[in-house]
Amino acid sequence: MLDRLEQQAPDALLALIKLYDRDERPDKIDLGVGVYRTDEGGTPVFSAIKAAERKLVEQQDSKAYLGPEGDMGFVHALMPYIFGENPARGGRIEGMQTPGGTGAVRLALALAQKSDIGRILMGTPSWPNHAQIIKDLGLELVGFEHAHADGSADLEALKNALQSARKGDAVLLHGCCHNPTGIDYTAEQWDEIASLLTGSPVLPIIDLAYQGLGQGLEEDAQGMLKVLASVPEALIAYSCDKNFGLYRDRVGALYAMTESSDQIGPVMSNGHSLARANWSMPPDHGAAAVRLVLRDADLTRQWHEELDRMRERMRQVRDRLAQAGKAGNVDLAPLGKQNGLFSMLPLSKEQIQALRDDHAIYMAGSGRINIAGLTMGNIDKFIAAVADVSA
Ligand code: LMR
């Protein structure tokens, strides 16, 4: 039976990690997978997390099973950051831990499917794994353009998609730091999105994977909060992989908001049974470390400072690129207005390949770059290389 299976191409983005590792050129630049890097090019463990991990080693007295919901102390400690004041909305919002943001997206979509959602409206391009999960679940993807060529979000396209939507549809929105474009909806556009969703049959699913990496922790949740204030129910997929630097520890959460507090129990129980059938329970370590950070005022302050430094460094890189203006035929100016780890360059497949072959610069085949892969030491080389391949 197994010989029926055909060879699958490796995930293009994850394959880049290995290609980059194998390259022996000393001045190589990795702009591939979304991992934050310091100006020295490293991805150190947050010092707040290190301290929490030390506490965990000393204090944890058991590794016995928790349950499919994971560490509820972690799930609840995050809620004021995500949902602001009155985070549980009178018992209408509850959550559960998931293996990373991917687990949260998978669970959100599977839960939507269990509630008879058949179609997912989504702006494209999007994080490639979104479409992959949608397809794997057998849901239908209805795509629309996420952004205009000038680097602004295409609200009209979203509007048209929502206006022609029907019961049984969900819309998948990026809460902030759009992956891969870096182009977020403006505050005014979020107001419009919220009013379009008012009374609409479409279920909002919001992927919030980069809170704190765009404009700030509070600021990055504002669009999502506008939507939540206008709709009876929604699903929110959350990741701590980036804002706590916990990538390989796989730390995420799924939150549901229901119309009334009596509905939250049944919804979460479906989340729990889906989790049980998929991964049984999420890995504990990273979530426990986040809980310890958020329950300790000093560690929380340290975490805020580390997150602020990350955001400020990425802003500096963006400013520098924007100041450069044109690199050959590529206009870098719009990158200054975009948010988070990613932006896209209008480069052809051949130009992306030439960047790799001739300049040891690795980026996704879509033209997406990880802004944090650029440092004050390599940014000039990058700009010159883009000019070289695109001239
Ligand atoms: C990315 O888009 O690079 C990250 O979200 C990592 C991943 O899992 O793809």
Side-chain angles (χ1 to χ4, degrees), residues 13-14 32-35 102 127-129 179 210 242 250 342 368:
L13 192 61
L14 302 182
V33 76
V35 166
T102 305
W127 179 47
N129 216 16
N179 179 4
Y210 298 91
K242 324 285 162 152
R250 315 305 301 136
F342 307 116
R368 186 189 86 168

Side-chain angles (χ1 to χ4, degrees), residues 120-132 134 141-154 157-158 172-185 207 210 338 342-347 349 364-369:
I120 308 296
L121 318 179
M122 184 176 78
T124 59
S126 190
W127 179 47
N129 216 16
H130 280 151
Q132 181 157 271
I134 291 168
L141 170 61
V142 182
F144 56 89
E145 288 294 321
H146 172 66
H148 295 291
D150 68 1
S152 60
D154 187 345
L158 171 59
L172 178 53
L173 298 166
H174 297 228
C176 67
C177 305
H178 186 267
N179 179 4
T181 66
I183 301 169
D184 288 333
Y185 294 113
D207 187 359
Y210 298 91
Q338 297 164 4
F342 307 116
S343 281
M344 280 185 82
L345 302 182
L347 294 170
K349 293 265 171 280
S366 60
R368 186 189 86 168
I369 57 168

